[in-house]
Amino acid sequence: MQQQTGETMRLGTLAPGQGGRIVAIEEADAPDGADNAERLRELGFAEELDATVLHQSPFGRDPIVVAVGSMTVALRRAEANLILVKTQ
Amino acid sequence: MNAPETVKTLRIALVGNPNCGKSALFNTLTGLRQKVANYPGATVERHSGRMTGAPYVELIDLPGTYSLTPKSPDEAVTCDALFGRSAFEARPDGIVCVLDATNLGQHLRFALELKATGLPMVVALNMTDLARREGIEIDVEGLSKRLGVPVIETVAVRKTGIAEIKAAIGVLGTVSEQAPTDLPPLRQLQRDARAMAREVTLAEGSGHKITRQLDALFLHPVAGPIILFSLLFVMFQAVFSWAETPMDMIDGGVASLQGWLADTLPDGWVLSLLNDGILAGVGSVVIFLPQILILFTFILALESSGYLVRAAYLMDRLMSSVGLNGRAFIPLLSSFACAIPGIMAARTIADPKDRLTTILIAPLMTCSARLPVYTLVIAAFIPNESVWGGMVGLQGLVMFGLYLSGIVFALLAAFVFKRVLSDGKRQPFLLELPKYQVPHLRYIFVGLLERAKVFLRRAGTIILTAMIILWVLGSYPLPPEGATEPDIAYSYVGIIGKGLATVFAPLGFNWEISVALVPGLAAREVAVAALGTVYALSGDEEVVADSLVGLLASGWTLPTALAFLAWYVFAPQCLSTIAVTKRETGGWKWPLVMIGYLFGLAYLAAFLTYRIALAFSA
Ligand SMILES: Nc1nc2c(ncn2[C@@H]2O[C@H](COP(=O)(O)OP(=O)(O)O)[C@@H](O)[C@H]2O)c(=O)[nH]1
Ligand SMILES: [Mg+2]
C-alpha cells in the first residue's frame, strides 16, 4: 500500500521529479524570512497545495522550477527552503 | 447603459495579477495599443484611455501586482493609484478586476483583497478560451453570487464578452463606494479563496500539457542553454544577413534619386542641400530600417511566446555571479531594442540597488540605434566572406562579437556597481512562468508597423533637422580664394571638427568623425547620417553617387574603424536615455555617473583598440 504520510522535507532540497504536499511556509528563521514567506504566499504557494520540482538550472542546480497548483514558478533553492512539503 | 446626467468622467482602473490580460483588455476596450506581452512585468506605467462607445469612461491600465502591499516600484504604481496616493491623481471610481480563468484558485485571493477596498468592482474572468481548451469549467453565476459583484467571461485578445463588460463598467458609476473591510491574515485568505474556487469549479481541467512538454525541451539542462545561445546567435546573424537585399534596394533607390536630382536641377545650393544634406544624411539612416524590423521581429516573438521568462531563469546563475538576478535579464533584453523601455522595465526589480545597477548598465546593451553605426563600419572594413565551411558570415560574426562585448562589459560593470552599492544581501529570485502562447501574427505585424513609423518619423524630424543644420554649418562660410582643401574644411563644421579632433586624435579619429559625434548626441544613428553629409560635402561631384560605405573604406584606416566601433560599444550618446535615467532615479546624480563612466570607458576602449591595431598593422 502506498504510504500516506511521508517524510517532511524542505522544497529546496528536492531533485527534479520529487515533490509533495505543502504543510508549512516558515516565517521565522532567515533574516528576511517573514518578508519572503509573504512573497511566496502572494505568488501562490499555500498549505495543502501540491508542489513538484520540475527542472533545475544546468549551472549549479539552482534556481529550480516548481509546479504549484496550476502555476509554474521559478525560484532559488534558498527561498524554496522556506517551504516544507510532506513527500508521498 | 445608464449614462449619468452630468457628463462626469467615470474613472475605472484595470487591476489584477501580472499577465492575466489587463493590457489586452484595455486595448480592446479603448482601441489603443498598449504593450501586450506574455511575461509578468510588461506594463510598468499607468496609461489611460477613453472607452470606445462610452467616452465618459476613462479606463486606466496598471502594472500587474500580486497584492496590495507593493514589493517593487511597478507594483507601487498600481497600489498608489488604487489608494489615491499619487500626487496628481485622485482615487478611481471603480475597478475591473481581471482574473485568469486557468488559475482561479490563486487569482481569487487578490480579488478578495480588491473587494475589501470597498471600491465598486466588476470581475473580468479572462482567458476563458484557454480554460475551455484545458477542460476547465467554472460556474460564473455562482462565482458572482459568492463575490457579490458581476462576473463577465472574456477573451481579451479575441474580443469576446466585450459588450457585456462594457455594460457592466457603465453601471459601476451608479454603485456607491463602501467602507473598506478588514481582511483576515494572508494564510486564511488563501484558504478562503481556494475554498471558493473549489466550490465554483465544475471541472478541474487537465493543465496546459504543451507548456510542460515545451519546458522539458527549453529548460533541459543541456538542450536549454544551447537553444538560448543559438537563438541569440541566429538573431544577430539574421539582422545582418537577411537584411542585405532590402538594404541594397533602398541604397540603390536613394542613389538613383540623387542621380535624377543632379540631372534635373541646376547646380547650386538647392541641389547640394537636397543631395548632400538630406538624401546623403537621412538616406544613410533609412537604409537600416530592414535590420531594425528583423531585430524587432525576434524580440516581439520572444516576448509574446513566453520564452523570455524561461531565458531569464536560464540566465539567473550567470546574473547572480555578478550580484544581479535573472529578473534583470528581461529589462536588459528589452534594451537590445532601445535602452529607454529597458530602463523603465527595471521597475519590476524589487531591490533598489539591483534596480539601479540594471539601469546603469542598460546602455551597454547594443540598442537598435547602434545597428546603423556597426553595420556601416563592418560593411566597409570586414570582408563579406563565410567562415566555418560557409555556415556563418564573417560580417555577422563580427556583429555578434560586438553585441557580446556589450554584454560582457555590462556584466563586469554590474559586478563593480554591486560591490560599491550593495549591502551584500542576496535578493530573492521569484518569477512566475506563464503558459506558452503562439505569437499572434497580427500583433507582431502591428508592432513592427509601429516600430517602422517611429523610426521613419525620427528620420524625418530629428535627423532631417540635424542634417539641414549640419549642411548649413558645413557649407558656410565659403572657402577663401585659392583654397586647397575641400570647401567644408573652411566651414563652421570644419572649424569645430578640427577643434574637437585634438581631443580625439589619440583615438585615431579624424575631424570628420569628431564632428559627427556631436549630432550623434541626439541619437546614435544620427552620427551615421552626419558622416553621410560631411563626406558628401567634402567629396567631388563624381563621388557623390558612391555610397558612404565606399567612402569610409577608402578614407579610414582599419585601426580608426576598429576604434570607432569600440567607442560605440560604450558611448552614452543618447540624450533620451539620460533623461529617462534622471526621471527613474529621481535626480542628476546617477545620470551623471552613467555619462561619466561610459565616456571614460568609451575613450579608454577606443584608445586601446587604436593603439593595439596600429601596433599589429605596423
Ligand atoms: N488565449 C488568451 N490569451 C490572452 C487573453 N488575454 C490576454 N492574453 C495573452 O496573455 C498575455 C498577457 O497579456 P497582457 O495583456 O500583456 O497581460 P497584463 O500583464 O495583465 O497586462 C499576452 O500574451 C496576451 O496575448 C485571452 O483572453 N486569451
Ligand atoms: Mg499589462
Side-chain angles (χ1 to χ4, degrees):
Chain A
M1 229 180 79
Q2 207 179 351
Q3 217 176 335
Q4 277 304 305
T5 49
E7 236 182 308
T8 300
M9 308 263 287
R10 289 184 186 276
L11 185 63
T13 61
L14 302 184
Q18 295 182 312
R21 180 145 298 186
I22 299 176
V23 291
I25 300 176
E26 280 186 354
E27 317 207 336
D29 279 4
D32 300 319
D35 221 28
N36 286 340
E38 190 178 296
R39 272 186 222 201
L40 288 168
R41 284 186 188 281
E42 287 172 354
L43 207 70
F45 288 94
E47 287 83 359
E48 292 152 54
L49 282 182
D50 285 330
T52 310
V53 178
L54 296 178
H55 307 279
Q56 62 187 11
S57 167
F59 314 108
R61 301 176 24 242
D62 193 19
I64 53 177
V65 174
V66 175
V68 53
S70 52
M71 309 171 62
T72 317
V73 177
L75 75 172
R76 290 192 183 145
R77 288 186 184 270
E79 277 83 56
N81 274 337
L82 297 175
I83 301 165
L84 298 177
V85 293
K86 187 159 274 185
T87 53
Q88 283 153 10
Chain B
M1 247 184 247
N2 300 350
E5 296 300 300
T6 52
V7 207
K8 186 185 161 288
T9 306
L10 186 61
R11 299 174 57 260
I12 306 292
L14 289 154
V15 195
N17 282 8
N19 218 45
C20 61
K22 297 174 294 302
S23 298
L25 188 62
F26 175 84
N27 288 352
T28 309
L29 290 174
T30 60
L32 297 174
R33 294 214 191 106
Q34 282 314 317
K35 176 170 183 158
V36 171
N38 194 12
Y39 64 92
T43 310
V44 293
E45 275 184 295
R46 72 172 280 290
H47 292 281
S48 67
R50 303 274 160 173
M51 191 156 85
T52 46
Y56 65 93
V57 177
E58 184 191 1
L59 292 169
I60 307 164
D61 185 27
L62 291 166
T65 175
Y66 288 105
S67 75
L68 293 177
T69 36
K71 302 291 189 297
S72 53
D74 61 328
E75 296 190 352
V77 169
T78 301
C79 299
D80 289 351
L82 277 184
F83 295 116
R85 281 194 297 244
S86 152
F88 42 91
E89 191 174 51
R91 205 167 181 214
D93 303 309
I95 44 189
V96 176
C97 167
V98 186
L99 300 182
D100 177 351
T102 65
N103 200 3
L104 198 60
Q106 156 61 10
H107 284 208
L108 262 183
R109 191 212 86 240
F110 189 47
L112 292 175
E113 269 189 55
L114 285 175
K115 174 104 196 308
T117 62
L119 283 168
M121 177 166 117
V122 292
V123 166
L125 188 63
N126 196 36
M127 308 251 187
T128 43
D129 56 332
L130 285 185
R132 198 153 303 135
R133 215 175 309 151
E134 289 179 30
I136 299 172
E137 261 178 73
I138 294 166
D139 169 13
V140 177
E141 232 162 89
L143 182 59
S144 169
K145 208 177 310 147
R146 283 176 179 78
L147 280 173
V149 300
V151 176
I152 318 279
E153 287 183 282
T154 58
V155 183
V157 288
R158 294 218 170 61
K159 308 194 174 18
T160 308
I162 298 306
E164 291 84 344
I165 193 107
K166 278 186 174 173
I169 291 171
V171 172
L172 276 184
T174 64
V175 181
S176 51
E177 188 175 334
Q178 314 257 299
T181 44
D182 284 333
L183 281 173
L186 188 52
R187 192 176 160 172
Q188 182 60 41
L189 196 63
Q190 286 184 308
R191 209 173 288 156
D192 297 348
R194 268 212 323 287
M196 193 186 286
R198 251 196 317 273
E199 286 165 20
V200 299
T201 303
L202 307 176
E204 285 264 6
S206 54
H208 204 247
K209 285 204 198 76
I210 302 163
T211 291
R212 293 268 181 278
Q213 286 159 359
L214 285 177
D215 272 347
L217 175 66
F218 289 135
L219 304 184
H220 186 272
V222 181
I226 293 177
I227 291 173
L228 174 60
F229 190 79
S230 316
L231 246 168
L232 293 177
F233 185 80
V234 168
M235 172 162 131
F236 299 131
Q237 188 80 33
V239 160
F240 212 89
S241 48
W242 297 358
E244 213 168 323
T245 318
M247 284 175 70
D248 285 346
M249 281 161 53
I250 300 177
D251 199 18
V254 171
S256 46
L257 192 60
Q258 282 176 319
W260 180 79
L261 282 174
D263 291 342
T264 331
L265 292 177
D267 235 4
W269 70 269
V270 178
L271 178 65
S272 172
L273 173 64
L274 287 177
N275 266 0
D276 302 340
I278 295 173
L279 284 176
V282 177
S284 56
V285 171
V286 168
I287 63 168
F288 295 100
L289 183 63
Q291 286 197 321
I292 287 178
L293 294 186
I294 290 173
L295 180 71
F296 273 89
T297 309
F298 274 93
I299 292 182
L300 287 172
L302 286 181
E303 284 182 348
S304 57
S305 61
Y307 182 76
L308 187 56
V309 181
R310 273 75 185 179
Y313 154 78
L314 287 173
M315 294 297 283
D316 179 65
R317 195 63 197 199
L318 180 64
M319 302 296 271
S320 77
S321 67
V322 299
L324 288 174
N325 80 44
R327 246 217 120 131
F329 182 74
I330 295 176
L332 291 180
L333 197 110
S334 309
S335 302
F336 282 136
C338 174
I340 294 162
I343 286 170
M344 305 251 329
R347 287 186 185 183
T348 58
I349 297 171
D351 180 59
K353 310 264 171 42
D354 279 15
R355 176 172 174 231
L356 184 58
T357 305
T358 308
I359 289 174
L360 289 175
I361 65 171
L364 281 171
M365 298 288 127
T366 305
C367 67
S368 58
R370 252 175 281 196
L371 263 181
V373 181
Y374 287 176
T375 309
L376 177 71
V377 179
I378 288 175
F381 289 93
I382 308 295
N384 189 3
E385 289 167 2
S386 292
V387 290
W388 298 336
M391 291 278 291
V392 175
L394 185 60
Q395 295 185 328
L397 198 64
V398 171
M399 179 73 96
F400 185 63
L402 288 168
Y403 271 97
L404 213 57
S405 49
I407 297 170
V408 168
F409 282 103
L411 292 177
L412 290 176
F415 183 75
V416 174
F417 282 125
K418 274 293 281 190
R419 276 292 159 90
V420 178
L421 295 170
S422 171
D423 41 16
K425 260 194 338 211
R426 243 169 78 99
Q427 294 305 316
F429 169 69
L430 274 179
L431 194 55
E432 185 180 350
L433 305 186
K435 298 179 174 73
Y436 287 98
Q437 300 238 34
V438 180
H440 289 269
L441 282 182
R442 193 178 57 90
Y443 164 75
I444 291 189
F445 185 74
V446 166
L448 288 181
L449 211 63
E450 204 90 321
R451 219 39 241 180
K453 264 196 245 164
V454 170
F455 182 78
L456 292 177
R457 198 180 306 132
R458 248 159 80 140
T461 53
I462 306 181
I463 301 182
L464 182 68
T465 319
M467 286 316 104
I468 292 176
I469 296 173
L470 193 69
W471 178 85
V472 171
L473 294 179
S475 304
Y476 302 98
L478 295 171
E481 290 294 319
T484 48
E485 286 184 80
D487 297 358
I488 190 175
Y490 303 95
S491 69
Y492 294 114
V493 164
I495 296 164
I496 296 169
K498 285 175 181 167
L500 285 174
T502 49
V503 181
F504 290 111
L507 318 183
F509 291 3
N510 54 24
W511 70 264
E512 287 95 339
I513 301 180
S514 309
V515 88
L517 296 179
V518 177
L521 281 170
R524 294 181 178 88
E525 69 266 36
V526 184
V528 167
L531 282 175
T533 296
V534 169
Y535 276 103
L537 281 174
S538 34
D540 312 321
E541 290 311 312
E542 305 95 77
V543 288
V544 168
D546 202 352
S547 68
L548 190 52
V549 170
L551 288 170
L552 295 192
S554 58
W556 293 7
T557 63
L558 183 63
T560 293
L562 294 177
F564 188 68
L565 286 179
W567 172 268
Y568 265 99
V569 170
F570 298 99
Q573 282 164 326
C574 172
L575 293 180
S576 336
T577 304
I578 293 161
V580 78
T581 305
K582 173 177 176 279
R583 198 185 69 197
E584 293 294 296
T585 59
W588 274 112
K589 180 178 172 192
W590 294 110
L592 287 175
V593 168
M594 188 157 110
I595 298 171
Y597 102 89
L598 287 176
F599 255 121
L601 281 179
Y603 199 92
L604 194 68
F607 179 78
L608 290 177
T609 307
Y610 183 62
R611 294 291 147 186
I612 292 171
L614 264 191
F616 270 98
S617 57

